[in-house]
């Protein structure tokens, strides 16, 4: 205690002493706080949250309450519960999931089903509120009956076309007897069905969702026989109701089971050194390798998407789906008879109409009546009539002004030439037709040479097209054939000889477009590369049925097809004249022999065409002959696709922080790391 005399009080010493005392206390407090927060002043909170109780308690039976409370030993939070937390059986009305202090409250909106095990899989969504330490995968379960179902099944969902893991797709179960009973009742009523319709009408009984590796685990499964389904649920009703929803299914019934097993657990001394590896017992649930190959059915609903006229000489009709029956066009402000040259896409879903009459080209608006097949509300193709207008993007008047500017510019150039006594033109020459060639100065021995015209041709003089080949310094005529591949694409076919030089020479006016322009003389030299510039790859396939038609594709590092070929009856296929590089290999069974991969259809019980990947990269070097033997079934499908060309990467696992380990290392004392539950 400080005693002060009246003299001191009069001189204001008390005020000074109080201020000094406050400063000393504040300094002491700040020093203490600094020691607690500094790296060497105390241990960090690296411990994950723990469940200390629940209401109803975990694995409780005969539960009737739809409000569930889970209590923890510290303040917690739940990350993105609507996407990360899965409740099974699925809830049609979304449950309310909230973190409040040291508890999580879940309110189920749907009525509880009798004699059913409910699981709430939080995945890795739970962490403590302050340090964000993840709890690890956690599942809460209870039952409305007198027992808890504890079986599990797991597996993978892959894109059937390219074996990419699918993240976030729902995977669920239907009891096999329920599927059959539903189908039998419809057949009894006279319906003609080829697959189980329950997938269209009723939610799956138990569900899960895939992670970034395409992996799923369905928990709380009762003993029985089940079919497994996958669904990219666009409308949240847990049934397959839209063709735009990606699906997968396996109708071979599976029976969940389990067995005691052991797995190696690594005990780390620190972040670099292993202290011990022990065999830990666990319950191994089976099956654990179910693989669903998911696909999207073809969107066959047909309707007119839009009409476009970017260039005045043509307009384009875009349909959602093609059809062999082309639209019937009746001009409302022009005569549509023989007014078009049609350029159709391979599937007839994009139709380009070139206007053959320049009067129509100069007409800004073309009004027409369009009669075409369209899908009605019942899914049937019916005749439909639309009145449409094709408006030129740039008006005729503006186009004429641009042409006038070009003419005036050309005229000034000719006047300059005239003043300088240089050759000049008094009449502006027409714009020539300029074909595009796919070949460059160096070509491969197996390369195709295509000529693309800027507009459909009115005339093509094949006699004016010459191909010469130099042999022993002498030019010879080479055999060639010009074949029309589409409305504006032509292929020059010949047999290229390795190492030789060629000259493609096209006479003036060999090509004439529908608007009168003709081509100028064209000359292009080419040299064919030799065999020493390439590699050869020979592949022998096995593991498929002898009757399978197998197409093998070579892929680049972006998973894009570089080459493809049909394997012979013995499963052999050769790729010659391969450019040096690293390749990957994919194959698919071409059931219908059309040369392309085809998707599936659920109602027809038709799976997508089977796709396989060779797990290894193939290095091809110049002058090398490379051979590979490939058993397409030697590696499970979910492990086949090489990681380097897999675009969907695994989720980054949330890990506990190791700041205390670093501190213990600095202090030279042992440290035992906490583990997530």
């Amino acid at each position: 205690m400080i005693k002060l005399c009246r003299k001191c009080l009069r001189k204001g010493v008390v005020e000074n002493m109080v201020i000094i005392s406050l400063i000393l206390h504040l300094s002491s407090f700040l020093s203490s706080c600094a020691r607690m927060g500094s790296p060497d002043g105390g241990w960090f909170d690296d411990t994950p949250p723990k469940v200390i109780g629940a209401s109803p308690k975990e694995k409780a039976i005969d539960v009737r309450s739809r409000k569930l409370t889970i209590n923890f030993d510290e303040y917690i939070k739940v990350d993105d519960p609507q996407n990360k937390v899965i409740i099974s059986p699925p809830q049609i009305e979304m449950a309310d999931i909230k973190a409040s202090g040291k508890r999580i409250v879940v309110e189920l909106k749907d009525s509880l089903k009798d004699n059913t095990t409910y699981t709430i899989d939080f995945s890795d969504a739970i962490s403590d509120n302050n340090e964000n330490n993840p709890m690890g995968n956690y599942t809460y379960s209870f039952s409305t009956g007198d027992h808890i179902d504890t079986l599990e099944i797991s597996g993978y969902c892959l894109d059937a076309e390219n074996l990419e893991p699918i993240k976030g797709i729902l995977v669920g179960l239907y009891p096999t007897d329920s599927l059959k009973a539903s189908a039998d009742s419809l057949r009894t009523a006279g319906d003609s069905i080829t697959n189980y319709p329950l997938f269209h009408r009723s939610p799956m009984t138990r569900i899960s969702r895939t992670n970034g590796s395409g992996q799923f685990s369905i928990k709380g499964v009762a003993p029985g026989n089940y079919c497994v389904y996958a669904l990219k649920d666009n409308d949240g009703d847990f049934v397959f109701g839209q063709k735009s929803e990606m699906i997968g299914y396996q109708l071979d019934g599976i029976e969940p089971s389990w067995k005691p097993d052991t797995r190696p657990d690594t005990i780390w001394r620190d972040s670099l050194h292993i202290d011990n590896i022990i065999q830990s017992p666990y319950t191994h649930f089976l099956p654990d390798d179910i693989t669903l190959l998911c696909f999207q059915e073809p969107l066959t609903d047909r309707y007119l998407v839009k009409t476009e006229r970017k260039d005045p000489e043509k307009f384009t009709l875009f349909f959602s789906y093609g059809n062999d029956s082309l639209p019937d066009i009746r001009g409302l402000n022009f005569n549509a008879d023989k007014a078009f040259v049609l350029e159709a896409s391979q599937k007839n879903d994009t139709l380009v109409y070139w206007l053959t009459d320049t009067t129509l080209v100069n007409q800004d608006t073309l009004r027409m009546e369009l009669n075409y097949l369209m899908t009605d509300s019942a899914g049937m193709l019916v005749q439909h009539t639309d009145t449409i207008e094709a408006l030129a993007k740039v008006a005729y008047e503006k186009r004429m002004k641009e042409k006038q500017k070009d003419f005036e510019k050309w005229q000034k150039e000719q006047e300059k030439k005239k003043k300088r006594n240089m050759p000049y033109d008094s009449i502006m020459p027409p714009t020539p037709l300029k074909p595009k060639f796919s070949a460059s100065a160096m070509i491969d021995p197996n390369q195709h040479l295509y000529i693309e015209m800027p507009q459909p041709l009115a005339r093509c003089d094949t006699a004016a097209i010459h191909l010469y080949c130099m042999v022993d310094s002498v030019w010879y005529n080479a055999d060639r054939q010009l074949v029309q591949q589409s409305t504006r694409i032509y292929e020059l076919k010949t047999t290229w000889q390795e190492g030789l030089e060629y000259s493609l020479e096209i006479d003036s006016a060999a090509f004439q477009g529908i608007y009168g322009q003709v081509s100028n003389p064209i000359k292009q030299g080419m040299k064919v590369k030799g065999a020493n510039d390439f590699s050869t790859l020979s592949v022998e396939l096995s593991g498929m049925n002898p009757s399978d038609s197998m197409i093998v594709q070579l892929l680049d590092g972006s998973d894009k097809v570089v080459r493809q070929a049909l394997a012979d009856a013995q499963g052999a296929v050769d790729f010659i004249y391969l450019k040096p590089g690293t390749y990957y290999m994919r194959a698919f069974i071409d059931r219908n022999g059309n040369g392309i991969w085809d998707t599936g259809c659920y109602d027809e019980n038709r799976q997508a065409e089977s796709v396989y990947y060779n797990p290894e990269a193939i290095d091809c070097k110049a002058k090398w002959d490379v051979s590979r033997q490939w058993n397409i079934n030697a590696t499970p499908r979910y492990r086949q696709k090489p990681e380097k060309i897999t675009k969907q990467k695994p989720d980054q696992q949330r890990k506990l922080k190791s700041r205390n380990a670093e501190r213990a290392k600095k202090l030279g004392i042992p440290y035992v790391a906490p583990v997530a539950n």
Side-chain angles (χ1 to χ4, degrees), residues 163-354:
L163 300 193
E164 278 284 317
I166 304 175
K167 180 178 179 179
I169 192 170
L170 292 176
V171 187
L173 304 176
Y174 286 107
T176 306
D177 54 1
S178 297
L179 291 169
K180 292 180 178 178
S182 173
D184 290 344
S185 65
L186 287 177
R187 291 191 183 97
T188 302
D191 285 4
S192 176
I193 60 173
T194 59
N195 212 342
Y196 298 134
L198 198 61
F199 191 29
H200 289 298
R201 303 183 178 192
S202 180
M204 296 169 277
T205 57
R206 306 212 64 79
I207 61 168
S208 178
R209 184 181 281 127
T210 57
N211 60 19
S213 300
Q215 190 172 18
F216 66 88
S217 179
I218 304 176
K219 302 177 181 180
V221 182
N225 193 283
Y226 299 91
C227 293
V228 189
Y229 286 75
L231 173 67
K232 199 77 170 182
D233 193 17
N234 293 340
D235 50 12
D237 59 359
F238 299 100
V239 297
F240 177 36
Q242 303 178 20
K243 285 189 175 183
S244 59
E245 294 176 325
M246 178 174 273
I247 61 167
Y249 65 97
Q250 180 176 306
L251 298 184
D252 295 332
I254 59 103
E255 292 190 8
S257 61
W258 65 277
K259 66 177 181 178
D261 208 340
T262 60
R263 58 186 167 206
D265 280 349
T266 303
I267 308 300
W268 293 88
R269 183 180 308 161
D270 52 42
S271 59
L272 297 177
H273 302 89
I274 296 176
D275 187 61
N276 194 11
I277 298 178
I278 61 175
Q279 296 295 323
S280 300
Y282 77 104
T283 301
H284 190 161
F285 293 101
L286 298 169
D288 60 357
D289 58 354
I290 299 169
T291 302
L292 297 179
L293 299 173
C294 305
F295 58 89
Q296 182 177 315
E297 294 187 346
L299 301 176
T300 54
D301 289 348
R302 190 170 193 258
Y303 54 89
L304 180 64
V305 178
K306 65 176 179 178
T307 304
E308 191 174 74
R309 191 182 175 191
K310 288 184 176 181
D311 302 311
E313 64 270 14
K314 62 184 178 182
F315 65 89
T316 306
L317 303 179
F318 295 91
F319 288 90
S320 61
Y321 197 77
N323 193 280
D324 292 337
S325 177
L326 298 174
D328 179 47
I329 298 177
R330 184 174 71 88
L332 298 180
N333 64 346
F334 68 98
N335 185 3
D337 295 338
K338 299 181 181 180
F340 314 118
V341 173
L342 176 62
E343 180 181 358
S345 64
Q346 185 178 6
K347 296 182 179 180
N348 279 351
D349 54 357
T350 303
L351 306 176
V352 180
Y353 291 87
W354 291 83

Side-chain angles (χ1 to χ4, degrees), residues 591-637:
R591 286 195 305 249
N592 56 9
N594 64 354
I596 60 174
W597 178 85
D598 290 295
T599 187
C601 178
Y602 177 75
D603 289 337
E604 298 176 8
N605 195 15
R606 187 178 71 248
Q607 296 277 6
E609 291 181 336
S610 296
V611 172
Y612 305 86
Y613 272 77
N614 188 316
E616 300 177 354
I618 304 173
D619 289 326
C620 295
K621 297 182 180 180
K623 304 181 184 180
W624 280 29
D625 291 330
V626 182
S627 62
R628 287 289 186 275
Q629 292 186 342
W630 179 18
N631 184 337
I632 61 174
N633 296 312
T635 303
R637 205 80 66 94

Side-chain angles (χ1 to χ4, degrees), residues 493-523:
K493 290 191 172 183
T494 188
T495 302
W496 304 110
Q497 301 296 320
E498 297 176 12
L500 297 186
E501 292 185 27
Y502 288 80
S503 178
L504 175 63
E505 300 179 14
I506 301 177
D507 297 341
S508 177
F511 306 119
Q512 181 179 4
I514 59 175
Y515 303 120
Q517 296 116 307
V518 296
S519 58
N520 287 337
I522 299 170
K523 184 175 182 179

Side-chain angles (χ1 to χ4, degrees), residues 429-466:
T431 304
L433 195 72
K434 296 180 180 179
K436 294 181 181 179
F437 294 87
S438 63
S440 57
M442 297 295 293
I443 62 174
D444 300 342
N446 60 342
Q447 185 169 333
H448 297 272
L449 195 157
Y450 294 100
I451 305 174
E452 181 181 353
M453 302 300 170
Q455 59 187 248
L457 295 183
R459 180 180 57 83
C460 176
D461 185 2
T462 56
I465 302 172
H466 314 281

